[in-house]
Amino acid sequence: MVIGTWNLENLCRPLPPGGPPSNRCAAQDEASYQAKLEGLAATIDRLAPDLLGVQEVGSHEALTDLVDRLGGDWHIALSTHPDRRGIRTGFLSRRPLTVVEDRTAFPDHLPPVRVEDDGTMIKRMGRGGLAVRWSPVPGHTVGVAVCHLKSKLLTFPGNRHSTDDEQLRARYAAYALYRRAAEAVTMRFVADQLLQGDGRTHAVIVMGDLNDEFKAATTQILYGPPGSQIGTGGFQDTDLGDPRRLWNLAPRILEQGGFSRVFEGQKELIDHVFTGPEKLPTVDGAHPAAPHDSPSDHAPVLAVVDY
């Protein structure tokens, strides 16, 4: 079974002629939208995933437009909680999906986090984290969650994305970090619900755009007990932490020279796939197409699981 995650970069229908925008997510025009759909569909057909977590989907209709261009039968699950731009997370699957949670609220014991100089506090994720039950083969069910954590892109007062005030920049970088950390805690809470205390008997996959690399503190929140990294002592030996671990496949992808995004000329892997301890997939590394060929600014990240 091929599983993976892909940030589709603003998969949004064009605005209707003369109509007011329902949100900030809209394709430039019909021609560019159709070209994007064709590019995405060609890549998905070539990679042939059985389950694909997706981010930056503008609507159910847009995701349906994509599915209509794919070969074979597909099932869709989509979060009902978009961000202010109108983008959300979801799944494409060759097998039926059952939604078990569409979460934005932080866990009860996590306090609100500050996100603005004016004292604005938030208690929920910007984009919903979606969890489903997926049956790759008859008689075997996997809990799978997809997320899109807060970007490192900073938005300053007045909806500005630049500033020459370095103290302001530093504060808003901290606010973005607080938010991304709280969202990572929330997704770890979702993972714990799927694990039900024993990942050896409850198969779990967590995937998505975490907007940071695998050694980042926010990414590591999802791992679980100490030693939950491929290649560490906890990976080599059985211990009491095993039932709660999630393995990030990033080291295997990086070994192959994989990356999922190029930012300011730097290759980075910020899209991740985690699996529970009962299965460690083989990895098909992520390599973006050339910018003029790619339908997204992210590359898909794929792994093969033998169920």
Side-chain angles (χ1 to χ4, degrees):
M1 291 290 164
V2 179
I3 63 171
T5 181
W6 195 11
N7 183 320
L8 304 180
E9 190 192 11
N10 295 327
L11 177 59
C12 307
R13 280 182 162 182
L15 295 175
S22 57
N23 52 54
R24 295 170 59 192
C25 181
Q28 282 187 313
D29 52 50
E30 185 64 28
S32 62
Y33 179 60
Q34 295 300 326
K36 183 176 184 68
L37 289 172
E38 293 299 330
L40 294 172
T43 299
I44 294 171
D45 280 337
R46 174 173 56 84
L47 297 174
D50 296 282
L51 177 72
L52 186 66
V54 291
Q55 302 86 46
E56 295 205 16
V57 177
S59 66
H60 190 278
E61 292 78 11
L63 197 56
T64 300
D65 289 343
L66 175 58
V67 166
D68 288 344
R69 286 161 174 77
L70 299 177
D73 296 326
W74 290 86
H75 302 268
I76 290 173
L78 195 62
S79 173
T80 60
H81 300 293
D83 68 7
R84 289 182 294 179
R85 289 169 52 207
I87 57 173
R88 68 202 80 198
T89 62
F91 289 102
L92 297 175
S93 171
R94 295 185 184 273
R95 290 162 177 77
L97 300 167
T98 301
V99 174
V100 295
E101 185 155 20
D102 185 4
R103 187 179 187 92
T104 59
F106 296 165
D108 288 343
H109 294 295
L110 187 68
V113 297
R114 183 172 176 172
V115 295
E116 296 279 356
D117 274 352
D118 65 7
T120 298
M121 310 286 281
I122 63 169
K123 183 61 176 173
R124 59 184 58 248
M125 300 172 68
R127 296 172 278 259
L130 188 66
V132 299
R133 294 287 179 191
W134 175 62
S135 294
V137 294
H140 186 67
T141 301
V142 182
V144 191
V146 63
C147 63
H148 184 185
L149 302 190
K150 171 68 180 77
S151 170
K152 291 182 281 188
L153 176 68
L154 305 183
T155 303
F156 304 106
N159 200 34
R160 294 179 292 112
H161 294 293
S162 63
T163 181
D164 56 6
D165 182 340
E166 296 309 318
Q167 291 301 306
L168 180 70
R169 189 192 312 277
R171 292 196 303 277
Y172 274 76
Y175 298 151
L177 181 60
Y178 302 159
R179 179 172 160 185
R180 190 163 60 257
E183 292 179 344
V185 171
T186 304
M187 290 310 300
R188 179 64 213 195
F189 176 85
V190 171
D192 287 336
Q193 290 184 306
L194 296 175
L195 288 166
Q196 299 182 51
D198 192 351
R200 293 169 297 193
T201 57
H202 298 96
V204 171
I205 299 167
V206 178
M207 59 177 66
D209 179 356
L210 271 61
N211 267 308
D212 218 332
E213 298 182 290
F214 86 105
K215 289 185 178 181
T218 53
T219 306
Q220 293 188 62
I221 287 171
L222 284 158
Y223 292 179
S228 297
Q229 294 97 358
I230 291 175
T232 65
F235 177 75
Q236 304 295 338
D237 301 319
T238 300
D239 63 30
L240 295 177
D242 284 349
R244 304 183 303 281
R245 296 192 192 285
L246 292 175
W247 304 113
N248 189 344
L249 304 183
R252 296 287 173 87
I253 295 169
L254 292 167
E255 286 172 3
Q256 298 181 19
F259 56 95
S260 64
R261 187 169 179 261
V262 178
F263 180 67
E264 295 183 348
Q266 300 294 313
K267 298 175 182 177
E268 55 184 20
L269 181 62
I270 63 173
D271 302 86
H272 300 275
V273 176
F274 302 78
T275 64
E278 85 301 334
K279 288 286 181 184
L280 189 64
T282 57
V283 170
D284 183 359
H287 298 275
H292 65 278
D293 292 330
S294 178
S296 171
D297 60 350
H298 289 243
V301 175
L302 301 177
V304 181
V305 188
D306 182 15
Y307 285 111

